[in-house]
Amino acid sequence: MTTQPKFAQIKQHIIDHIRAYTWLENDRVPSENELAEQFQVSRMTARRALSELTDAGILTRSQGLGTFVASLKSQSSLLEIRNIADEVKERGGAYSCTVLTLESIIALAPIAIALGVEANSQVYRSVLVHHENEQPLQVEERFVNPHLANDYLQQDFTVLTPHEYLSQVAPLTEARHTVEAITPNRTICEWLNLFNEEPCLQVIRRTWSAVGIVSFARLISPGSKYRLGGHLTFRK
């Protein structure tokens, strides 16, 4: 029997506590130092475990305060969710898309939690590169709840975007975003035609319809080519 790497053991330890409700939403989880001591590993190994769970939206980090269990309930978004194809066309650009992956996979625990499905159940995964004027603009990796979008794998995403399809079959009601600057790995650099490790903007997004969690997506764009914006109206 293959032994799990230490960072994976730490991740599973945290997930087990969350699933057992011994650590609730907004509870502080052990620090890198505490986990490193408990599992007899380096801080780097503990940091990897916490970082991967944070990237998956399971944990959230607050500078100077620590790492906490993220809210697993729907939360209204302050950012407008727009269709990237419409954004490109509104700027007068030509939109196109390359589909890199469209598959059914087994949901490991972090993805299962993010989608609100059973661990080791089947979920859908897509990886696309969105282009503006034939230049890569954004990499989109998306995991989809098949119970709410059962025809997802049959769609031609060079004709309509995943956002357009999901808005039709499971109209979005709420979303949660995490936005951060990242250094892209070699694969992301290749997909975005980056010749150096230019900082990128990463958006982690979970979306809900009226009947449940629809998708969990990671959107990565070069910092020099993309920005987030929005208009907020505050009522008295």
Side-chain angles (χ1 to χ4, degrees), residues 16 21 24 27 30-32 45 50 74 90 92 97 115 117 121 145 150 166-167 174 182 184 191 200 208-209 222:
D16 287 345
Y21 298 102
L24 304 177
D27 280 353
S31 67
E32 291 174 8
T45 298
L50 292 176
S74 58
E90 287 175 7
C97 172
L115 286 177
V117 299
S121 63
N145 185 340
N150 62 326
L166 293 174
S167 294
E174 299 182 68
I182 65 165
W191 289 342
C200 288
W208 281 256
S209 72

mmCIF file of all heavy atoms in Angstrom, residues 16 21 24 27 30-32 45 50 74 90 92 97 115 117 121 145 150 166-167 174 182 184 191 200 208-209 222:
data_model
loop_
_atom_site.group_PDB
_atom_site.id
_atom_site.type_symbol
_atom_site.label_atom_id
_atom_site.label_comp_id
_atom_site.label_asym_id
_atom_site.label_seq_id
_atom_site.Cartn_x
_atom_site.Cartn_y
_atom_site.Cartn_z
ATOM 1 N N ASP A 16 -10.757 16.030 7.342
ATOM 2 C CA ASP A 16 -11.502 15.138 8.235
ATOM 3 C C ASP A 16 -12.117 15.909 9.394
ATOM 4 O O ASP A 16 -13.267 15.644 9.796
ATOM 5 C CB ASP A 16 -10.564 14.046 8.778
ATOM 6 C CG ASP A 16 -10.201 13.004 7.724
ATOM 7 O OD1 ASP A 16 -10.878 12.963 6.688
ATOM 8 O OD2 ASP A 16 -9.226 12.257 7.955
ATOM 9 N N TYR A 21 -17.149 18.175 11.643
ATOM 10 C CA TYR A 21 -17.683 19.360 12.331
ATOM 11 C C TYR A 21 -16.986 19.628 13.664
ATOM 12 O O TYR A 21 -17.546 20.287 14.537
ATOM 13 C CB TYR A 21 -19.200 19.246 12.549
ATOM 14 C CG TYR A 21 -19.977 19.161 11.258
ATOM 15 C CD1 TYR A 21 -20.473 17.930 10.809
ATOM 16 C CD2 TYR A 21 -20.204 20.287 10.478
ATOM 17 C CE1 TYR A 21 -21.175 17.837 9.615
ATOM 18 C CE2 TYR A 21 -20.900 20.203 9.276
ATOM 19 C CZ TYR A 21 -21.390 18.978 8.863
ATOM 20 O OH TYR A 21 -22.071 18.890 7.684
ATOM 21 N N LEU A 24 -15.385 24.212 12.746
ATOM 22 C CA LEU A 24 -16.527 24.812 12.074
ATOM 23 C C LEU A 24 -16.102 26.009 11.238
ATOM 24 O O LEU A 24 -14.941 26.444 11.280
ATOM 25 C CB LEU A 24 -17.569 25.232 13.118
ATOM 26 C CG LEU A 24 -18.064 24.121 14.047
ATOM 27 C CD1 LEU A 24 -19.038 24.680 15.077
ATOM 28 C CD2 LEU A 24 -18.710 22.982 13.250
ATOM 29 N N ASP A 27 -13.505 28.841 12.203
ATOM 30 C CA ASP A 27 -12.593 28.374 13.239
ATOM 31 C C ASP A 27 -11.158 28.476 12.736
ATOM 32 O O ASP A 27 -10.874 28.203 11.556
ATOM 33 C CB ASP A 27 -12.874 26.916 13.604
ATOM 34 C CG ASP A 27 -14.055 26.758 14.547
ATOM 35 O OD1 ASP A 27 -14.576 27.781 15.020
ATOM 36 O OD2 ASP A 27 -14.450 25.600 14.803
ATOM 37 N N PRO A 30 -4.723 24.892 12.916
ATOM 38 C CA PRO A 30 -3.344 24.991 13.397
ATOM 39 C C PRO A 30 -2.434 25.733 12.412
ATOM 40 O O PRO A 30 -2.630 25.667 11.191
ATOM 41 C CB PRO A 30 -2.926 23.530 13.554
ATOM 42 C CG PRO A 30 -4.203 22.799 13.792
ATOM 43 C CD PRO A 30 -5.217 23.506 12.949
ATOM 44 N N SER A 31 -1.450 26.406 12.946
ATOM 45 C CA SER A 31 -0.503 27.164 12.122
ATOM 46 C C SER A 31 0.488 26.231 11.435
ATOM 47 O O SER A 31 0.542 25.027 11.717
ATOM 48 C CB SER A 31 0.262 28.146 13.002
ATOM 49 O OG SER A 31 1.100 27.432 13.903
ATOM 50 N N GLU A 32 1.291 26.804 10.532
ATOM 51 C CA GLU A 32 2.343 26.026 9.878
ATOM 52 C C GLU A 32 3.266 25.392 10.916
ATOM 53 O O GLU A 32 3.621 24.212 10.814
ATOM 54 C CB GLU A 32 3.152 26.922 8.946
ATOM 55 C CG GLU A 32 2.405 27.409 7.725
ATOM 56 C CD GLU A 32 3.223 28.402 6.923
ATOM 57 O OE1 GLU A 32 4.422 28.576 7.251
ATOM 58 O OE2 GLU A 32 2.690 28.994 5.973
ATOM 59 N N THR A 45 6.484 21.977 4.028
ATOM 60 C CA THR A 45 5.489 20.928 3.771
ATOM 61 C C THR A 45 4.134 21.323 4.348
ATOM 62 O O THR A 45 3.092 21.164 3.698
ATOM 63 C CB THR A 45 5.953 19.595 4.381
ATOM 64 O OG1 THR A 45 7.178 19.195 3.762
ATOM 65 C CG2 THR A 45 4.914 18.503 4.188
ATOM 66 N N LEU A 50 -1.558 23.845 3.608
ATOM 67 C CA LEU A 50 -2.471 24.960 3.870
ATOM 68 C C LEU A 50 -2.733 25.758 2.593
ATOM 69 O O LEU A 50 -3.868 26.182 2.342
ATOM 70 C CB LEU A 50 -1.887 25.872 4.949
ATOM 71 C CG LEU A 50 -1.790 25.271 6.363
ATOM 72 C CD1 LEU A 50 -1.111 26.246 7.308
ATOM 73 C CD2 LEU A 50 -3.168 24.893 6.897
ATOM 74 N N SER A 74 -23.271 29.786 0.645
ATOM 75 C CA SER A 74 -23.246 30.777 -0.420
ATOM 76 C C SER A 74 -23.108 32.174 0.151
ATOM 77 O O SER A 74 -23.519 32.457 1.262
ATOM 78 C CB SER A 74 -24.524 30.687 -1.262
ATOM 79 O OG SER A 74 -25.662 30.875 -0.450
ATOM 80 N N GLU A 90 -17.102 43.596 -26.498
ATOM 81 C CA GLU A 90 -17.412 44.985 -26.161
ATOM 82 C C GLU A 90 -16.202 45.897 -26.366
ATOM 83 O O GLU A 90 -16.344 47.094 -26.612
ATOM 84 C CB GLU A 90 -17.902 45.084 -24.716
ATOM 85 C CG GLU A 90 -19.308 44.550 -24.522
ATOM 86 C CD GLU A 90 -19.725 44.546 -23.065
ATOM 87 O OE1 GLU A 90 -18.971 45.081 -22.229
ATOM 88 O OE2 GLU A 90 -20.806 43.992 -22.767
ATOM 89 N N GLY A 92 -14.277 45.545 -28.803
ATOM 90 C CA GLY A 92 -14.017 45.530 -30.238
ATOM 91 C C GLY A 92 -13.068 44.434 -30.663
ATOM 92 O O GLY A 92 -12.593 44.417 -31.803
ATOM 93 N N CYS A 97 -11.664 30.522 -28.519
ATOM 94 C CA CYS A 97 -11.387 29.665 -27.371
ATOM 95 C C CYS A 97 -10.738 28.364 -27.832
ATOM 96 O O CYS A 97 -11.104 27.821 -28.877
ATOM 97 C CB CYS A 97 -12.690 29.371 -26.629
ATOM 98 S SG CYS A 97 -12.532 28.147 -25.311
ATOM 99 N N LEU A 115 -17.648 21.562 -4.230
ATOM 100 C CA LEU A 115 -18.862 21.391 -5.035
ATOM 101 C C LEU A 115 -20.045 20.864 -4.222
ATOM 102 O O LEU A 115 -21.155 20.762 -4.737
ATOM 103 C CB LEU A 115 -18.588 20.428 -6.201
ATOM 104 C CG LEU A 115 -17.754 20.967 -7.358
ATOM 105 C CD1 LEU A 115 -17.514 19.868 -8.387
ATOM 106 C CD2 LEU A 115 -18.431 22.163 -8.017
ATOM 107 N N VAL A 117 -20.427 17.783 -3.099
ATOM 108 C CA VAL A 117 -20.788 16.431 -3.518
ATOM 109 C C VAL A 117 -19.985 15.428 -2.687
ATOM 110 O O VAL A 117 -19.086 15.804 -1.940
ATOM 111 C CB VAL A 117 -20.516 16.212 -5.026
ATOM 112 C CG1 VAL A 117 -21.336 17.181 -5.860
ATOM 113 C CG2 VAL A 117 -19.019 16.357 -5.344
ATOM 114 N N SER A 121 -16.907 10.811 -5.917
ATOM 115 C CA SER A 121 -17.976 10.752 -6.916
ATOM 116 C C SER A 121 -17.464 11.377 -8.215
ATOM 117 O O SER A 121 -16.415 12.022 -8.250
ATOM 118 C CB SER A 121 -19.214 11.484 -6.419
ATOM 119 O OG SER A 121 -18.938 12.865 -6.218
ATOM 120 N N ASN A 145 -20.615 20.425 -11.090
ATOM 121 C CA ASN A 145 -21.514 19.450 -10.469
ATOM 122 C C ASN A 145 -22.380 18.818 -11.559
ATOM 123 O O ASN A 145 -23.236 19.490 -12.146
ATOM 124 C CB ASN A 145 -22.388 20.169 -9.440
ATOM 125 C CG ASN A 145 -23.277 19.222 -8.659
ATOM 126 O OD1 ASN A 145 -23.533 18.096 -9.082
ATOM 127 N ND2 ASN A 145 -23.756 19.679 -7.524
ATOM 128 N N ASN A 150 -25.881 18.135 -16.458
ATOM 129 C CA ASN A 150 -25.522 16.772 -16.882
ATOM 130 C C ASN A 150 -25.038 16.685 -18.318
ATOM 131 O O ASN A 150 -24.381 15.713 -18.700
ATOM 132 C CB ASN A 150 -26.708 15.814 -16.658
ATOM 133 C CG ASN A 150 -27.932 16.204 -17.468
ATOM 134 O OD1 ASN A 150 -28.190 17.376 -17.679
ATOM 135 N ND2 ASN A 150 -28.669 15.224 -17.933
ATOM 136 N N LEU A 166 -23.820 27.298 -18.412
ATOM 137 C CA LEU A 166 -24.275 27.107 -17.037
ATOM 138 C C LEU A 166 -25.355 28.110 -16.667
ATOM 139 O O LEU A 166 -26.266 27.795 -15.884
ATOM 140 C CB LEU A 166 -23.092 27.211 -16.073
ATOM 141 C CG LEU A 166 -22.055 26.077 -16.207
ATOM 142 C CD1 LEU A 166 -20.850 26.363 -15.321
ATOM 143 C CD2 LEU A 166 -22.665 24.730 -15.874
ATOM 144 N N SER A 167 -25.287 29.307 -17.212
ATOM 145 C CA SER A 167 -26.324 30.308 -16.934
ATOM 146 C C SER A 167 -27.674 29.881 -17.504
ATOM 147 O O SER A 167 -28.725 30.262 -16.993
ATOM 148 C CB SER A 167 -25.920 31.669 -17.521
ATOM 149 O OG SER A 167 -24.775 32.172 -16.864
ATOM 150 N N GLU A 174 -25.782 33.181 -6.741
ATOM 151 C CA GLU A 174 -24.783 33.731 -5.833
ATOM 152 C C GLU A 174 -23.404 33.208 -6.191
ATOM 153 O O GLU A 174 -23.267 32.229 -6.922
ATOM 154 C CB GLU A 174 -25.111 33.363 -4.377
ATOM 155 C CG GLU A 174 -26.451 33.895 -3.904
ATOM 156 C CD GLU A 174 -26.703 33.558 -2.445
ATOM 157 O OE1 GLU A 174 -25.991 34.099 -1.587
ATOM 158 O OE2 GLU A 174 -27.604 32.746 -2.191
ATOM 159 N N ILE A 182 -0.443 35.683 -8.398
ATOM 160 C CA ILE A 182 0.330 34.447 -8.302
ATOM 161 C C ILE A 182 1.476 34.486 -9.309
ATOM 162 O O ILE A 182 1.474 35.274 -10.264
ATOM 163 C CB ILE A 182 -0.529 33.196 -8.573
ATOM 164 C CG1 ILE A 182 -1.032 33.185 -10.025
ATOM 165 C CG2 ILE A 182 -1.687 33.093 -7.602
ATOM 166 C CD1 ILE A 182 -1.574 31.848 -10.467
ATOM 167 N N PRO A 184 2.884 32.156 -12.142
ATOM 168 C CA PRO A 184 2.396 30.984 -12.876
ATOM 169 C C PRO A 184 3.468 29.908 -13.003
ATOM 170 O O PRO A 184 4.662 30.215 -13.079
ATOM 171 C CB PRO A 184 2.029 31.561 -14.250
ATOM 172 C CG PRO A 184 2.945 32.735 -14.405
ATOM 173 C CD PRO A 184 3.086 33.323 -13.024
ATOM 174 N N TRP A 191 0.567 27.890 -21.800
ATOM 175 C CA TRP A 191 -0.793 28.120 -22.281
ATOM 176 C C TRP A 191 -1.059 29.598 -22.567
ATOM 177 O O TRP A 191 -1.813 29.934 -23.476
ATOM 178 C CB TRP A 191 -1.799 27.612 -21.250
ATOM 179 C CG TRP A 191 -1.862 26.118 -21.151
ATOM 180 C CD1 TRP A 191 -1.406 25.211 -22.069
ATOM 181 C CD2 TRP A 191 -2.430 25.344 -20.091
ATOM 182 N NE1 TRP A 191 -1.647 23.927 -21.634
ATOM 183 C CE2 TRP A 191 -2.266 23.974 -20.431
ATOM 184 C CE3 TRP A 191 -3.045 25.667 -18.885
ATOM 185 C CZ2 TRP A 191 -2.715 22.941 -19.610
ATOM 186 C CZ3 TRP A 191 -3.487 24.638 -18.067
ATOM 187 C CH2 TRP A 191 -3.326 23.295 -18.418
ATOM 188 N N CYS A 200 0.549 36.897 -12.463
ATOM 189 C CA CYS A 200 -0.784 36.696 -13.027
ATOM 190 C C CYS A 200 -1.843 36.965 -11.958
ATOM 191 O O CYS A 200 -1.569 36.881 -10.759
ATOM 192 C CB CYS A 200 -0.945 35.277 -13.549
ATOM 193 S SG CYS A 200 -0.033 34.932 -15.065
ATOM 194 N N TRP A 208 -23.334 29.383 -7.277
ATOM 195 C CA TRP A 208 -24.528 28.671 -6.820
ATOM 196 C C TRP A 208 -25.711 28.969 -7.734
ATOM 197 O O TRP A 208 -25.823 30.068 -8.297
ATOM 198 C CB TRP A 208 -24.917 29.125 -5.421
ATOM 199 C CG TRP A 208 -24.144 28.563 -4.284
ATOM 200 C CD1 TRP A 208 -24.522 27.592 -3.406
ATOM 201 C CD2 TRP A 208 -22.836 28.975 -3.841
ATOM 202 N NE1 TRP A 208 -23.536 27.364 -2.468
ATOM 203 C CE2 TRP A 208 -22.501 28.195 -2.707
ATOM 204 C CE3 TRP A 208 -21.911 29.927 -4.299
ATOM 205 C CZ2 TRP A 208 -21.287 28.337 -2.036
ATOM 206 C CZ3 TRP A 208 -20.703 30.064 -3.637
ATOM 207 C CH2 TRP A 208 -20.401 29.276 -2.520
ATOM 208 N N SER A 209 -26.611 28.006 -7.864
ATOM 209 C CA SER A 209 -27.946 28.254 -8.408
ATOM 210 C C SER A 209 -28.910 28.117 -7.235
ATOM 211 O O SER A 209 -28.490 27.904 -6.094
ATOM 212 C CB SER A 209 -28.285 27.238 -9.506
ATOM 213 O OG SER A 209 -28.520 25.964 -8.930
ATOM 214 N N PRO A 222 -2.778 36.949 -17.356
ATOM 215 C CA PRO A 222 -1.555 37.734 -17.192
ATOM 216 C C PRO A 222 -1.874 39.101 -16.599
ATOM 217 O O PRO A 222 -2.840 39.762 -17.005
ATOM 218 C CB PRO A 222 -1.016 37.878 -18.622
ATOM 219 C CG PRO A 222 -1.689 36.788 -19.402
ATOM 220 C CD PRO A 222 -3.026 36.597 -18.758
#
